[in-house]
Amino acid sequence: MTVFTRIALSWVIYFASLLALVSPAAAHLTPNSEIGLTIGAEDVRADIIIPQSEYMVATSHSAGNDRQSLSRARAYIEDRFKVFTPQGTPWSVRVDLVDFAQRAGPPDLHAAAVLTPPPGASPRNFVAEWHAVVDELPSHFALFVIRRDIAGVSGAEPQIAGAVRSGAARIAIDVGDASKWREFRNTVKLGIDHIIGGYDHLMFLLALLLPAPLAASAGRWATVRDWRHTVRSIVGVVTAFTIGHSLSLIGATLGGWRLPVQPVEIAIAMSVLISTAHAVRPLFLGYEPVVAGGFGLIHGLAFATLVADLHLGIAVAPLALLGFNLGIEIVQLVIVLVAIPALILLAPYRYYHPFRTGLAVVGMGAAVVWLINRAFGVGDGFMRIVEQAIAAIAVILAVVSIALVASHWLRRCFLRLRAVGQGH
């Protein structure tokens, strides 16, 4: 097994070096405006970013999060952002949220707007007219980007629709007819992307799988169970978690269940802390599926937040919900298929206990960081480091698991061939 230790160490060094070179992507670093569009089934959501310095020069307004400054900024955007059908009928433009913040690079004016077409008009074909800042500063331009179109070709990949500037303030946006197949395919991909990037969800699932091949004795994980019990335990936990998050996802999307985002995110961090502690010492022995199902209900509410941001109509939501959930299940299935043989093969070795405990302690540390960040809004830097480390560990575990299974299979093939040779 020394070979595998060397392989794992090499991967650790490689990914640690890689993570040291990679920095989080900036949200907005250019001195121009950006309007990000989310095409929904009934309306269009616009995320607006205007450089604060350009806004102040163009308007002579102050930039602050006091009531007067925010009111002026909202009125300015609503006055200079118009949307029409191709025939010239005006849409409703409502600015819901305005604030001045420094999220990446220089500070910006951030706003969220809801663009609603008139009755009978499609939200997929319209003309936008933008005069904010570009009229006052001829060198300035505003970039329109389609960030998400759940029923169109763009899927989760942003597409540049075009730009407007002084003297050319109109832009026609036509994303074509909606496609049920593209809608389904895009939501499957969205589910895959979300769960892969949902480190807290993955850590919770991994923590519940770690003790699956073990039986408890005297309050400790001690003896190794046979492979049949291990498989049954893993299948039971994953199935319960799937049922839990599917029920709450369906209820939140179609039934309108709602909970504030912060308590849900804090509860998810707590679920990771409890499950990782259970991986160190048994806390709810024999009730793993019950705990997985219960916390699955909470995780499903977090999934539903993303689906709700798509602003799907009631006729569109069921298919999108099915695709999104399928994407989540695909990732879970891959994790289980990789985990089951690796756990069965590793559990009999004495170093599995420090391996399990080490991973669980890493998960507990991550859970504490998430708890503090979500409860008090501090520690963003620590959270990014933790999540990057989890991503690297996940890749390392996948590579080592595949190498371990391949080695076991090759060893068995070699022993069979040798036995055949000795028989002759």
Side-chain angles (χ1 to χ4, degrees):
M1 299 305 296
T2 306
V3 174
F4 290 109
T5 303
R6 292 175 180 173
I7 292 174
L9 183 59
S10 300
W11 277 98
V12 169
I13 295 171
Y14 170 74
F15 279 102
S17 303
L18 183 63
L19 290 172
L21 297 174
V22 176
S23 60
H28 187 254
L29 296 173
T30 67
N32 297 293
S33 300
E34 181 179 310
I35 299 91
L37 303 175
T38 296
I39 311 296
E42 299 171 351
D43 56 28
V44 177
R45 305 290 165 134
D47 292 316
I48 300 166
I49 303 176
I50 302 174
Q52 178 178 299
S53 59
E54 307 282 290
Y55 166 80
M56 293 174 67
V57 171
T59 64
S60 299
H61 293 167
S62 59
N65 287 317
D66 58 281
R67 180 177 298 180
Q68 183 179 24
S69 296
L70 295 179
S71 178
R72 284 179 176 176
R74 177 182 285 106
Y76 177 75
I77 293 173
E78 289 182 339
D79 181 59
R80 286 163 173 77
F81 187 20
K82 307 297 181 184
V83 182
F84 307 90
T85 66
Q87 294 76 30
T89 306
W91 285 30
S92 166
V93 176
R94 185 183 78 247
V95 178
D96 284 341
L97 174 68
V98 177
D99 75 331
F100 293 91
Q102 184 174 5
R103 299 174 185 169
D108 296 311
L109 165 59
H110 296 261
V114 181
L115 319 178
T116 307
S122 170
R124 307 181 61 77
N125 186 9
F126 57 93
V127 176
E129 186 174 317
W130 179 269
H131 292 277
V133 182
V134 297
D135 281 2
E136 294 87 358
L137 303 177
S139 62
H140 191 89
F141 69 86
L143 184 68
F144 279 76
V145 178
I146 300 172
R147 291 186 180 166
R148 184 174 293 139
D149 175 12
I150 205 61
V153 295
S154 61
E157 298 298 326
Q159 289 186 340
I160 296 176
V164 300
R165 60 179 66 249
S166 179
R170 286 198 168 200
I171 179 172
I173 297 175
D174 185 356
V175 294
D177 295 332
S179 165
K180 291 296 183 183
W181 164 245
R182 287 198 298 262
E183 172 192 323
F184 180 73
R185 183 186 64 193
N186 290 339
T187 50
V188 170
K189 185 177 185 300
L190 188 64
I192 292 173
D193 292 341
H194 182 67
I195 194 67
I196 288 177
Y199 302 112
D200 46 3
H201 305 300
L202 294 178
M203 181 57 72
F204 172 75
L205 187 59
L206 177 62
L208 288 178
L209 297 181
L210 282 174
L214 304 175
S217 176
R220 294 174 177 269
W221 296 113
T223 57
V224 179
R225 298 195 290 187
D226 62 67
W227 69 269
R228 292 181 180 85
H229 284 91
T230 300
V231 172
R232 280 201 295 267
S233 177
I234 292 175
V235 170
V237 165
V238 174
T239 301
F241 181 65
T242 298
I243 292 173
H245 74 65
S246 297
L247 286 176
S248 58
L249 180 56
I250 292 170
T253 305
L254 302 182
W257 301 354
R258 287 291 180 271
L259 280 178
V261 172
Q262 187 182 28
V264 171
E265 294 297 327
I266 291 174
I268 289 174
M270 281 297 302
S271 74
V272 177
L273 184 61
I274 292 171
S275 62
T276 49
H278 177 70
V280 176
R281 294 286 173 85
L283 301 178
F284 40 86
L285 187 62
Y287 293 93
E288 288 87 351
V290 176
V291 173
F295 280 126
L297 292 169
I298 298 172
H299 285 246
L301 292 174
F303 297 151
T305 301
L306 180 61
V307 177
D309 288 342
L310 302 177
H311 308 291
L312 303 166
I314 192 64
V316 178
L319 184 62
L321 185 62
L322 175 62
F324 184 77
N325 216 28
L326 181 59
I328 294 174
E329 302 317 318
I330 289 173
V331 176
Q332 288 187 175
L333 180 61
V334 171
I335 292 173
V336 169
L337 291 177
V338 172
I340 285 179
L343 291 176
I344 291 173
L345 292 174
L346 284 173
Y349 293 94
R350 65 177 183 274
Y351 55 75
Y352 181 70
H353 290 284
F355 169 80
R356 167 182 52 80
T357 303
L359 281 180
V361 169
V362 169
M364 292 172 69
V368 170
V369 171
W370 286 323
L371 272 172
I372 294 173
N373 179 261
R374 295 168 184 182
F376 306 106
V378 298
D380 287 343
F382 283 110
M383 188 177 70
R384 284 194 292 269
I385 293 172
V386 165
E387 292 181 348
Q388 288 174 339
I390 291 173
I393 290 171
V395 173
I396 294 169
L397 289 177
V399 171
V400 173
S401 297
I402 293 171
L404 180 62
V405 172
S407 172
H408 179 77
W409 180 78
L410 290 173
R411 182 173 177 274
R412 293 194 63 177
C413 289
F414 173 75
L415 292 176
R416 287 179 182 176
L417 288 173
R418 189 169 69 174
V420 171
Q422 290 175 348
H424 288 291

